[in-house]
Amino acid sequence: MEVQETRVQTNRVLTIPNILSMARLVGVPLFLWLILRGSDGWALLVLALSGISDYLDGKLARRWNQISNLGRLLDPAADRLYILSTLVGLTWREILPLWLTVTLLARELMLLVMVAILRRHDYPPPQVNFLGKAATFNLMYAFPLLLLSDGHGWLASLAEVFGWAFAGWGTTLYWWAGILYVVQVRRLVKADTEAD
């Protein structure tokens, strides 16, 4: 007999996963300040700690049954703010080309429009799906590698190759996930309109 595990979503705020997500949010301005002043080693450390806490908050929320409404908002918000701050910092330092930054920001703008449409129809923001997580994962690997590529020697050259590979996959998956969100929103709105 197969046992089915249920996940209960709560309104609790002070859970370990939520505290980890809040700590990640606090790290965003610190990371941006470090990257803009050229403290690459410290910036990489903050980014690495953010990646670890991103993995842990979701894992612990599921394992300890501490999935919360706040956590569903904090986790993607922290991901997006890290991506935004990294884009700003790396573009400012001319490590990332402007076209890539505009491509990624255009996707974010598209999702903001979709969330506004959902709110107008009394729907919550769409849940983060596997494809969106995979895209974020790729970008969160790409950015530190591209930051490392802003140096000299074999390590910088290797980091550049892998950094651009992750950036290419991440950008493609990021847009793919965004298009799937648009399709999901369109279906919900269409069903809502037909019901009226």
Side-chain angles (χ1 to χ4, degrees):
M1 183 173 169
E2 191 175 319
V3 177
Q4 184 142 0
E5 190 175 336
T6 59
R7 301 280 180 213
V8 177
Q9 189 166 311
T10 69
N11 289 322
R12 290 177 52 204
V13 173
L14 288 178
T15 64
I16 299 296
N18 285 352
I19 291 169
L20 286 172
S21 291
M22 289 178 212
R24 272 193 331 158
L25 284 170
V26 169
V28 170
L30 173 62
F31 169 75
L32 185 57
W33 178 73
L34 289 168
I35 202 169
L36 289 176
R37 68 183 294 244
S39 300
D40 295 353
W42 288 108
L44 284 169
L45 178 63
V46 171
L47 198 58
L49 291 174
S50 165
I52 292 167
S53 70
D54 184 27
Y55 170 77
L56 283 177
D57 69 9
K59 185 102 173 147
L60 295 176
R62 287 184 297 276
R63 176 169 286 168
W64 293 343
N65 211 13
Q66 293 184 348
I67 297 169
S68 68
N69 294 326
L70 179 63
R72 285 186 58 212
L73 293 173
L74 286 177
D75 185 49
D79 288 345
R80 285 192 173 85
L81 286 172
Y82 266 104
I83 288 172
L84 179 63
S85 64
T86 306
L87 286 172
V88 168
L90 294 181
T91 305
W92 183 269
R93 299 250 318 258
E94 298 181 351
I95 296 169
L96 279 184
L98 186 58
W99 67 264
L100 180 59
T101 302
V102 169
T103 300
L104 292 170
L105 291 178
R107 187 265 194 184
E108 288 301 310
L109 182 61
M110 180 183 72
L111 283 188
L112 282 175
V113 170
M114 293 301 108
V115 168
I117 291 170
L118 285 173
R119 282 197 181 136
R120 197 169 54 224
H121 290 271
D122 294 325
Y123 286 107
Q127 284 190 321
V128 176
N129 61 26
F130 175 77
L131 196 57
K133 274 295 198 186
T136 302
F137 174 83
N138 275 276
L139 291 173
M140 293 302 258
Y141 269 94
F143 296 147
L145 287 167
L146 291 172
L147 184 58
L148 277 174
S149 75
D150 191 38
H152 303 288
W154 67 270
L155 183 60
S157 299
L158 196 60
E160 184 176 18
V161 169
F162 283 101
W164 280 111
F166 278 115
W169 276 108
T171 303
T172 303
L173 293 174
Y174 212 51
W175 266 97
W176 189 3
I179 289 167
L180 290 178
Y181 284 136
V182 170
V183 170
Q184 181 182 3
V185 168
R186 187 174 174 269
R187 285 182 185 154
L188 286 171
V189 170
K190 186 177 178 186
D192 195 40
T193 306
E194 289 172 355
D196 288 341

